[in-house]
Amino acid sequence: MGNIASCSCCQDCFGKRNRTGLYEPLLQENEREAIAELLQFLENRNHTNFFEGEPLRALSTLAFSDNVDLQRSAALAFAEITEKDVRQVGRDTLNPILFLLQSHDVEVQRAASAALGNLAVNTENKLLIVKLGGLEQLIRQMGSPNVEVQCNAVGCITNLATHEENRQQLVNAGAIPVLIGLLSSPDADVQYYCTTALSNIAVDAGNRKKLAQTDSRLVQYLIALMETKSLKVQCQAALALRNLASDEKYQLEIVRCKGLTPLLRLLKSSFLPLILSSVACIRNISIHPANESPIIDEGFVNPLIELLSYDDNEEIQCHAISTLRNLAASSERNKKAIVEAGAVERIRILINQVPASVQTEMTAAIAVLALSEELKQRLLSMGVLEVLVPLTSSRNMEVQGNSAAAIGNLSSKVKDYSPFVQVWEKPSGGLCGFLVQFLDESQAIAFQHIGVWTIEQFLDGNDPELISKIAQSPEIVQAVTRIAKTSDRSKETKSEKIGEEGNDDLDGDIYGLAKRVANALSEIEGGKKQ
């Protein structure tokens, strides 16, 4: 972390000054001994543990010296040692480094903050540094006129902020206004560490409120940093906005402050970290219904569809399809725009090639699009049933449920039910196999409910061929009849215990629904006999 001089310089310094006698009149006896010992340890540094015993005592003697040159040498030694060897350390190691951090000498500050930042990579060290009062000293160093001291201090704060227990301590210690103030630093490294630290702090909901109260221009600063020349700063600025956009307030503010344009530019880049950070950010922004149309109008739909094929990174695919689903949530216009842009065709091609996490999002997106009365028939004509039906037997429960929900949504109030008839027996057991599977008594009540509800939609659709196929399936008829006759509504399924909030209402709903469907099927069968 930061730029530090090599410890060989420190060794030369000891040697020259010791030979010339420069130190002789000024050094205490224990300091001279410490120098001699440290020189020996440094010669064998690859086999020396500087965090305990005689090596640590020698370093500590120099660190606590009143001689600033000795302090510089100790700080430089700590910085170089921790650059190569990071491990859990105790108070005896951290106390001399924290003491050096209080020095008025810039070189000592620079090297000590670098050493502390290196050690702060270790989880246990993060907590101990804060416990020993390191935050206050680091925050003070963040205000240094020296850019390297600033950078090292902010870098250490960034490492400390990755630990959940430290984030509230950072806020309480007053780090937020200092970090926000340094966003305008001309130094790219300072900008990078500040945006990263703020991003880590913004993970917690309470801290996001503190950020909002500290500086109303935070979002504007971060949007401006997405336009900087440094790719790593652009990336971290987008990630910071992504974490802020976990809150409704920030979702709206980012759009209001014209953050969509730079986000779209990052989304279209060829640099994976920029793509990932921007698509993760736009996913959170798209959660708010008021942002759906502005995002579509900005031109995000086609780039998002292209990212569905980004098979080098599963997370990018997940964020892209989840954003498309969010954009389609509350507007017929937006659903139509997404379908017309080719999203469904792309999903249909990719869905059997992507990981289960992406399949989960893709099937959920189709289920949302299938709510559109205007688009249902169009979706059916695209052949979505051919991919949805097999996925109802997926090993992933969410993929199963989403696929079934999509089929259920498509089954309601369409003019032409022939696409359902065409997939009755195949692929993968067809629509019939899906219904039999979901109606099985071993299934969760929610899945059985989907099965019965879908059959009711088919019956309401009044397509003679499809109704005939349903009525002629003994497995379906028997399963619906069994559910309708079940009197013990608290009965537990073999695969899942019922007892979650809302299940009592679901139980009552499915029994009434099953009775209606069973009676309708009975009437159909009775009509045939007559």
Side-chain angles (χ1 to χ4, degrees):
M1 171 175 288
N3 298 315
I4 58 170
S6 170
C7 212
S8 61
C9 296
C10 163
Q11 188 170 350
D12 291 342
C13 176
F14 282 139
K16 289 177 182 176
R17 299 199 177 201
N18 196 35
R19 286 195 299 271
T20 61
L22 180 61
Y23 278 359
E24 295 298 334
L26 304 175
L27 298 183
Q28 302 293 324
E29 180 63 30
N30 66 325
E31 293 173 343
R32 282 196 294 271
E33 291 175 358
I35 291 171
E37 290 174 358
L38 191 56
L39 287 173
Q40 291 180 350
F41 294 134
L42 288 170
E43 288 177 0
N44 193 34
R45 70 185 70 187
N46 293 333
H47 303 285
T48 301
N49 179 359
F50 287 91
F51 301 121
E52 62 183 20
E54 292 301 325
L56 180 58
R57 276 193 286 274
L59 277 170
S60 298
T61 298
L62 303 187
F64 289 117
S65 170
D66 292 332
N67 187 309
V68 70
D69 288 315
L70 295 186
Q71 289 185 351
R72 286 176 184 170
S73 297
L76 286 167
F78 273 123
E80 182 178 320
I81 291 163
T82 56
E83 187 75 29
K84 299 174 181 177
D85 183 8
V86 176
R87 63 178 77 181
Q88 181 180 356
V89 299
R91 292 169 176 262
D92 290 343
T93 299
L94 290 176
N95 280 331
I97 299 175
L98 290 171
F99 178 81
L100 290 169
L101 204 61
Q102 300 176 52
S103 170
H104 295 294
D105 184 79
V106 170
E107 291 302 312
V108 176
Q109 294 173 359
R110 181 167 61 89
S113 56
L116 203 63
N118 293 335
L119 290 172
V121 172
N122 177 275
T123 301
E124 290 77 11
N125 293 345
K126 295 179 202 287
L127 295 171
L128 187 56
I129 289 169
V130 173
K131 186 177 181 180
L132 295 177
L135 281 183
E136 291 75 9
Q137 297 178 45
L138 288 166
I139 291 172
R140 185 173 64 252
Q141 299 300 346
M142 284 161 58
S144 169
N146 183 281
V147 173
E148 289 182 77
V149 173
Q150 273 186 3
C151 187
N152 289 345
V154 178
C156 186
I157 289 284
T158 300
N159 287 340
L160 296 177
T162 60
H163 199 292
E164 182 179 358
E165 292 183 28
N166 284 344
R167 288 196 282 269
Q168 191 57 51
Q169 301 275 12
L170 280 165
V171 173
N172 294 341
I176 287 179
V178 183
L179 288 167
I180 294 177
L182 287 175
L183 289 176
S184 58
S185 167
D187 186 82
D189 287 332
V190 173
Q191 292 175 346
Y192 169 75
Y193 285 126
C194 283
T195 51
T196 306
L198 289 168
S199 180
N200 290 335
I201 290 170
V203 167
D204 304 315
N207 291 343
R208 291 194 292 273
K209 292 182 180 178
K210 288 272 189 182
L211 286 165
Q213 295 165 1
T214 302
D215 195 324
S216 61
R217 296 166 295 176
L218 174 58
V219 167
Q220 296 173 45
Y221 294 150
L222 291 171
I223 290 173
L225 288 175
M226 287 195 292
E227 302 283 10
T228 189
K229 292 181 180 180
S230 169
L231 294 180
K232 67 180 184 180
V233 173
Q234 292 178 33
C235 183
Q236 285 302 325
L239 286 174
L241 288 169
R242 175 255 187 112
N243 287 341
L244 290 174
S246 298
D247 289 353
E248 180 178 296
K249 170 193 182 301
Y250 287 110
Q251 291 164 6
L252 292 169
E253 187 175 350
I254 292 168
V255 174
R256 187 170 61 249
C257 292
K258 304 187 185 307
L260 292 182
T261 300
L263 279 171
L264 182 58
R265 182 182 60 79
L266 300 188
L267 193 81
K268 292 178 176 180
S269 78
S270 57
F271 186 45
L272 189 151
L274 285 182
I275 300 170
L276 180 55
S277 61
S278 57
V279 74
C281 184
I282 202 66
R283 176 182 184 174
N284 279 1
I285 295 172
S286 69
I287 291 171
H288 200 291
N291 289 339
E292 293 172 15
S293 292
I295 292 172
I296 288 178
D297 294 342
E298 187 70 32
F300 274 87
V301 172
N302 286 322
L304 287 168
I305 292 173
E306 289 302 313
L307 290 181
L308 299 182
S309 302
Y310 204 99
D311 53 11
D312 289 339
N313 191 286
E314 178 180 335
E315 196 175 353
I316 286 176
Q317 291 177 304
C318 277
H319 287 316
I321 184 60
S322 180
T323 303
L324 289 169
R325 184 193 66 196
N326 290 342
L327 296 178
S330 57
S331 164
E332 286 290 319
R333 166 188 174 270
N334 294 344
K335 287 182 176 70
K336 186 176 180 181
I338 290 168
V339 170
E340 290 183 344
V344 177
E345 287 94 335
R346 186 67 61 92
I347 291 171
R348 189 179 183 281
I349 293 169
L350 296 172
I351 200 163
N352 289 317
Q353 307 168 21
V354 296
S357 62
V358 184
Q359 284 184 335
T360 298
E361 297 293 340
M362 285 183 168
T363 48
I366 295 176
V368 170
L369 293 170
L371 291 169
S372 169
E373 301 297 332
E374 182 182 346
L375 295 173
K376 288 179 194 236
Q377 204 72 58
R378 186 171 176 178
L379 295 176
L380 289 169
S381 68
M382 292 177 182
V384 294
L385 290 177
E386 282 82 351
V387 294
L388 289 173
V389 168
L391 289 173
T392 60
S393 298
S394 168
R395 292 181 180 180
N396 184 287
M397 295 288 286
E398 287 186 272
V399 174
Q400 281 188 38
N402 291 344
S403 300
I407 293 172
N409 291 344
L410 289 168
S411 70
S412 174
K413 301 175 183 176
V414 291
K415 294 180 181 179
D416 179 11
Y417 280 87
S418 61
F420 293 98
V421 175
Q422 291 167 12
V423 296
W424 181 252
E425 294 181 345
K426 58 183 182 180
S428 303
L431 191 60
C432 180
F434 146 60
L435 292 172
V436 170
Q437 174 194 341
F438 269 59
L439 294 171
D440 191 275
E441 61 183 333
S442 68
Q443 290 283 11
I445 289 292
F447 276 22
Q448 294 182 50
H449 188 278
I450 291 174
V452 179
W453 185 84
T454 301
I455 294 172
E456 186 176 53
Q457 305 314 303
F458 290 146
L459 296 178
D460 289 345
N462 205 28
D463 181 88
E465 189 174 1
L466 183 56
I467 290 174
S468 175
K469 288 184 178 295
I470 294 170
Q472 289 175 16
S473 170
E475 294 95 336
I476 292 176
V477 174
Q478 289 168 14
V480 173
T481 302
R482 171 186 54 76
I483 297 170
K485 290 182 177 179
T486 300
S487 58
D488 183 6
R489 296 184 179 182
S490 64
K491 178 180 179 181
E492 294 182 352
T493 66
K494 294 178 182 177
S495 63
E496 175 179 300
K497 288 186 177 180
I498 306 305
E500 298 177 1
E501 185 178 352
N503 269 331
D504 289 341
D505 292 339
L506 189 57
D507 284 359
D509 189 23
I510 190 175
Y511 295 123
L513 182 62
K515 285 178 183 178
R516 291 199 305 272
V517 172
N519 289 337
L521 291 174
S522 179
E523 290 176 7
I524 293 168
E525 187 62 26
K528 287 183 178 180
K529 290 179 180 179
Q530 291 177 2

